[in-house]
Amino acid sequence: MKANVPRRSGSGLGEAAMVPVRLVMGAVDAPLRWVQRRLGIGGMATFFLLPNMLIFGIFVLLPFFINFAYSMTGGTALFLPDRTFVGTEQYARLFDCVNYADPNSCTEDTFWTAVGNTAWFVLLQVSLMILFSLVTALILNRDLMARSFWRAVFFFPVLLSPVVVGLIWKWILQRQGLLNFGLYSLGLEPHTWLNDRNWSFAATVGVSIWAHMGFYTLILLAGLQAIPKDLYEAAEMDGTRPARAFWRITLPLLMPNLLVVVVLVLIRAVQIFDEVYVLTGGGPGTSTLYLTQYIYETGFATQLRNPGLAAAASILMGVVLVILTLVQLGLGRKGENKGARK
Amino acid sequence: MTKTRTMLAALAIGLMSSTAAVAGDVRIMWYSDGVEGEVLKDLLDRFMNENPGINVILDNVSYSVVREQLPVQLEAGNGPDIARVTNLKAQSQHWLDLRPLVADAAYWDENFGEQADWMRPDGSNQISGFMTQITIAGGFANKTLFDQAGVAIPGKDATWDDWAKAAKQVAESQQVPFPMALDRSGHRLSGPNLAYGGNYIGADGKPAPLDDGSKNFLTSFVGWVADGTMSKDVWVSAAGSTYRAAADDFINGQLVYYYSGSWQVPNFSTKIGTNFDWVATGSPCGPTNCTGMTGGAGLVAVKYTKNPKEVAKVMDYLASEAIVKEFSERTLFLPAHKGVLAKGLDFKTDDAQAKTALNAFVEASKSLSDLARKLPGWHWSDTFYGALVTRVSQAAAGEMTIDEAFTRIDSDIATKVKDSGN
């Protein structure tokens, strides 16, 4: 059997580029046919998925189980065999609290402070990120002058390393930073933004939105461009107002993209670490200490590290993420089914 | 077939040659406060010219890498061959015993013996390395600001309260944002704690609960942060036990009085230059004494090295009298080498302020309390320091009262001791 590659008439660059493709396909054709004969047509799916699953297993599942094993151990030793099995003691320590709303009443007060901070951060950052990404995508989807330039402008921060993002904003927001210089030049009172609990929290939310918004805007923009134009033309002919067109056409058809964005933003928000670590270091006090930094500090940065406690905290964070993702996917499917029934 | 054989042979030769290169490599993890990285590189280049079979690779890293990443590497049985470390005692199980490897162990005992206990497991006679510098914590005053304000610089026996009052007066007069600053470090807090009568070591050698001496200074300290006498920026700028220095504020002339240590002298000499006059003041006094803390950075060999003989040769070279003398004179560091100290040093600087400051720190070393000399070799020092920084900064940020911070410090330390299985 010959490789079923469609041939196009004519010569030139395209034809020349196909030569190595044909060579490769010809080379793998015989071994693949041999594998197919051995496994059957049904087994080919497993065959093709196996390398991917192997990588996933080694780099995701295995570390997850190792991490779980760590969470069941105590002591300061790093290697699992050197550690003492303590069962669920680390989880019990994390949950040892008189009042969960008051971290000071908990044995691991810093953990609950980090949980509270992360919850507020997620709530604010996810909603604002989606709002801003959507608005930006809608604007960039219009016939703007220099549209490609504006798209590049919004996407540019995504290309920066989180450390660079943190440093840039630190230079802007610190006591003798650019922002205070501007305020001072205008005769206004400078402010210690990063020493103020509320402002530093707002800064972490704002900076993370600035740094990542471009990526989500791009996903939403792709979704917007896939919506057939004739739907809007028909709506316009029917005299539909733009707001109604947005709610009735744009939003429902954008929902799959929006769902992907929500899941990605949420996961990223819960895992926030690098730019915040550089920008505020978790301060002032612990007002911008988020869960990942707590895990990092407990497992790696403090004197006499506690990898077991850090592992338990990360397992709990993983469980929360899985639950949130499943809820969102469930809601998404429900919405799709509802749409299909209509 | 011949072609395949030729290729395999080439591959084998390539692998062998690369292994041979690794066999002679000695990797040093080094952090710098000032120019010491450049000086060391120069010294190592000279060593490699004299010893062509040994390739020394100098990895210049930040201090936080040494504090946060090196311990993990060591726990995993990896890491560099030699490292410059400040947390010497608590990690002493990872250091290589150089005693059977160095050319003359008696030379090491004689010249570095006084600090040998700081970096070896309790009860052993191991030679783990040597102190690249001895540091003394102490203060620096911006003399120009004091002069301009017409306020006299507090004298030798001035207390922390005297300094706080004078610095605040100068800051108000000169419109400077920070009267005083103290590095965000448990080590730095410990000098004044001891001066106020604090004692960290319990009767069993394990950490004791915070006593009144420490509590009294910490209460004053948090009060000074609250009323703006002490810079809030440094202490609330991070969570956990992250280290933060206020050196840049002092260099920029934004700070009247800075409590740090002798290692800042070369840094100030280079960066302040003639911008303003500054003086080293030793440590302010508390009710009990006028002690600061001693400490320093040690260069230690790591026991997971594949090339112990080469490592010992590099260590012998760097610990030799001539090299220690040159290193100290060029970096403006106080050496630990007994012989070098006895013969005296000619610090290579035209900066009279730096020379005076170094002499002031040598003078301040005479006021060190016994406890201050003991703490660098105490296993639990860093545990204590970490808890102090974490909780005091929370109190300084207004997240908890100072009494709540005291309770948390005690419970944090007790938990760490329990976690370590001791």
Side-chain angles (χ1 to χ4, degrees), chain B residues 40-104:
Chain B
L40 184 76
K41 190 179 178 309
D42 182 33
L43 297 173
L44 290 173
D45 285 345
R46 230 183 288 164
F47 171 81
M48 284 190 282
N49 283 338
E50 290 162 17
N51 299 273
I54 302 176
N55 179 36
V56 186
I57 304 153
L58 184 65
D59 291 326
N60 280 298
V61 298
S62 71
Y63 180 56
S64 60
V65 171
V66 176
R67 272 183 67 88
E68 294 171 11
Q69 292 178 25
L70 178 65
V72 180
Q73 291 178 19
L74 294 174
E75 283 287 334
N78 295 316
D81 300 299
I82 297 171
R84 186 181 191 217
V85 181
T86 52
N87 186 11
L88 290 158
K89 187 72 170 188
Q91 301 183 103
S92 58
Q93 74 273 22
H94 300 296
W95 311 145
L96 175 70
D97 185 4
L98 291 165
R99 186 169 288 282
L101 298 166
V102 292
D104 181 5

Side-chain angles (χ1 to χ4, degrees), chain B residues 173-201:
Chain B
S173 149
Q174 299 300 301
Q175 298 291 299
V176 172
F178 313 113
M180 295 171 94
L182 185 143
D183 291 334
R184 191 176 194 272
S185 148
H187 178 270
R188 232 66 79 238
L189 271 182
S190 295
N193 276 352
L194 302 195
Y196 272 62
N199 176 24
Y200 296 172
I201 308 176

Side-chain angles (χ1 to χ4, degrees), chain B residues 293-311:
Chain B
M293 277 290 294
T294 184
L299 198 64
V300 282
V302 175
K303 75 176 177 189
Y304 312 112
T305 178
K306 302 275 188 297
N307 306 312
K309 282 183 187 164
E310 286 83 354
V311 165

Side-chain angles (χ1 to χ4, degrees), chain B residues 80-347:
Chain B
D81 300 299
I82 297 171
R84 186 181 191 217
V85 181
T86 52
N87 186 11
L88 290 158
K89 187 72 170 188
Q91 301 183 103
S92 58
Q93 74 273 22
H94 300 296
W95 311 145
L96 175 70
D97 185 4
L98 291 165
R99 186 169 288 282
L101 298 166
V102 292
D104 181 5
Y107 164 86
W108 283 73
D109 288 336
E110 169 65 21
N111 291 299
F112 300 109
E114 218 164 280
Q115 295 85 25
D117 255 346
W118 293 6
M119 57 184 90
R120 64 186 171 202
D122 286 335
S124 88
N125 75 336
Q126 180 172 314
I127 295 176
S128 308
F130 67 99
M131 299 301 288
T132 54
Q133 74 195 110
I134 289 291
T135 58
I136 314 282
F140 298 92
N142 184 324
K143 187 174 177 297
T144 303
L145 287 176
F146 271 94
D147 290 346
Q148 286 171 358
V151 176
I153 293 180
K156 197 178 155 227
D157 297 327
T159 63
W160 276 93
D161 288 321
D162 296 335
W163 274 103
K165 199 176 155 193
K168 203 169 181 186
Q169 213 179 328
V170 173
E172 279 165 8
S173 149
Q174 299 300 301
Q175 298 291 299
V176 172
F178 313 113
M180 295 171 94
L182 185 143
D183 291 334
R184 191 176 194 272
S185 148
H187 178 270
R188 232 66 79 238
L189 271 182
S190 295
N193 276 352
L194 302 195
Y196 272 62
N199 176 24
Y200 296 172
I201 308 176
D204 56 357
K206 287 182 186 168
L210 271 185
D211 55 21
D212 286 343
S214 299
K215 284 180 180 176
N216 287 341
F217 175 73
L218 296 176
T219 306
S220 296
F221 177 77
V222 171
W224 287 329
V225 173
D227 72 14
T229 306
M230 193 67 78
S231 163
K232 195 177 177 184
D233 284 29
V234 179
W235 275 81
V236 303
S237 63
S241 56
T242 307
Y243 172 75
R244 291 272 196 274
D248 287 343
D249 290 325
F250 188 76
I251 290 165
N252 291 330
Q254 301 287 304
L255 179 56
V256 179
Y257 180 75
Y258 175 36
Y259 192 75
S260 187
S262 56
W263 59 95
Q264 298 287 5
V265 172
N267 193 25
F268 291 167
S269 176
T270 315
K271 293 182 181 165
I272 295 172
T274 54
N275 290 350
F276 60 84
D277 292 338
W278 54 276
V279 288
T281 65
S283 283
C285 299
T288 306
N289 54 44
C290 307
T291 191
M293 277 290 294
T294 184
L299 198 64
V300 282
V302 175
K303 75 176 177 189
Y304 312 112
T305 178
K306 302 275 188 297
N307 306 312
K309 282 183 187 164
E310 286 83 354
V311 165
K313 205 159 186 190
V314 174
M315 292 294 278
D316 260 336
Y317 167 77
L318 292 174
S320 64
E321 189 170 322
I323 295 298
V324 170
K325 186 173 189 299
E326 183 181 340
F327 178 80
S328 303
E329 286 176 345
R330 289 173 65 185
T331 54
L332 309 186
F333 283 164
L334 304 176
H337 193 289
K338 214 172 170 183
V340 172
L341 277 171
K343 288 173 190 163
L345 289 137
D346 176 21
F347 288 110

Side-chain angles (χ1 to χ4, degrees), chain A residues 230-246 249:
Chain A
D230 50 2
L231 288 176
Y232 292 105
E233 286 163 9
E236 202 179 339
M237 284 170 71
D238 291 343
T240 311
R241 281 173 291 136
R244 191 174 165 79
F246 172 76
I249 301 170

Side-chain angles (χ1 to χ4, degrees), chain A residues 11-328:
Chain A
S11 56
L13 209 60
E15 187 66 20
M18 288 308 289
V19 173
V21 177
R22 281 201 199 98
L23 273 172
V24 171
M25 291 185 76
V28 298
D29 190 48
L32 281 178
R33 273 191 288 130
W34 180 81
V35 173
Q36 190 175 322
R37 272 203 305 276
R38 308 277 297 190
L39 299 177
I41 196 85
M44 287 307 280
T46 314
F47 176 76
F48 284 119
L49 283 174
L50 200 64
N52 208 3
M53 293 310 287
L54 214 62
I55 291 169
F56 181 77
I58 293 170
F59 293 106
V60 179
L61 278 183
L62 187 64
F64 173 80
F65 288 120
I66 292 174
N67 198 33
F68 185 71
Y70 264 98
S71 74
M72 295 287 186
T73 60
T76 52
L78 191 72
F79 283 124
L80 202 49
D82 302 336
R83 298 178 57 77
T84 324
F85 179 77
V86 294
T88 55
E89 198 180 282
Q90 304 285 15
Y91 293 94
R93 183 163 150 185
L94 288 175
F95 281 104
D96 183 21
C97 233
V98 178
N99 173 11
Y100 290 112
D102 175 19
N104 279 337
S105 69
C106 307
T107 302
E108 283 302 316
D109 60 323
T110 328
F111 171 72
W112 286 101
T113 303
V115 168
N117 290 344
T118 309
W120 278 112
F121 178 85
V122 168
L123 199 72
L124 262 171
Q125 198 252 20
V126 172
S127 40
L128 289 175
M129 178 80 91
I130 289 163
L131 179 72
F132 289 142
S133 303
L134 186 59
V135 171
T136 316
L138 287 169
I139 293 169
L140 292 176
N141 196 37
R142 296 169 78 94
D143 286 328
L144 290 175
M145 203 169 65
R147 189 163 64 168
S148 302
F149 169 76
W150 290 113
R151 283 179 187 174
V153 165
F154 281 100
F155 191 72
F156 179 70
V158 178
L159 303 175
L160 297 176
S161 133
V163 174
V164 174
V165 169
L167 282 175
I168 289 173
W169 282 96
K170 196 171 186 173
W171 289 332
I172 294 172
L173 297 170
Q174 66 192 6
R175 182 186 282 271
Q176 290 171 312
L178 214 58
L179 182 58
N180 275 345
F181 176 73
L183 289 175
Y184 185 76
S185 308
L186 294 170
L188 298 169
E189 190 68 27
H191 188 71
T192 48
W193 308 100
L194 297 179
N195 280 356
D196 181 305
R197 297 177 61 80
N198 297 326
W199 277 113
S200 64
F201 178 78
T204 61
V205 173
V207 168
S208 70
I209 291 175
W210 177 83
H212 304 290
M213 196 183 80
F215 178 66
Y216 305 113
T217 301
L218 211 67
I219 297 176
L220 294 177
L221 192 60
L224 286 173
Q225 288 180 347
I227 299 173
K229 291 271 185 291
D230 50 2
L231 288 176
Y232 292 105
E233 286 163 9
E236 202 179 339
M237 284 170 71
D238 291 343
T240 311
R241 281 173 291 136
R244 191 174 165 79
F246 172 76
W247 290 108
R248 294 290 177 174
I249 301 170
T250 310
L251 214 52
L253 290 176
L254 197 61
M255 207 42 95
N257 293 61
L258 213 51
L259 191 71
V260 169
V261 167
V262 171
V263 172
L264 292 177
V265 173
L266 192 85
I267 291 172
R268 176 94 201 174
V270 175
Q271 294 174 333
I272 186 78
F273 173 65
D274 16 32
E275 55 257 45
V276 172
Y277 189 66
V278 175
L279 181 67
T280 66
T286 52
S287 58
T288 58
L289 177 77
Y290 300 122
L291 251 180
T292 314
Q293 188 179 338
Y294 168 81
I295 292 165
Y296 167 70
E297 301 232 334
T298 307
F300 300 101
T302 58
Q303 301 305 321
L304 292 180
R305 299 165 299 281
N306 191 336
L309 195 65
S314 68
I315 292 284
L316 290 177
M317 187 170 101
V319 168
V320 170
L321 273 175
V322 168
I323 292 170
L324 285 173
T325 310
L326 288 176
V327 167
Q328 278 171 9

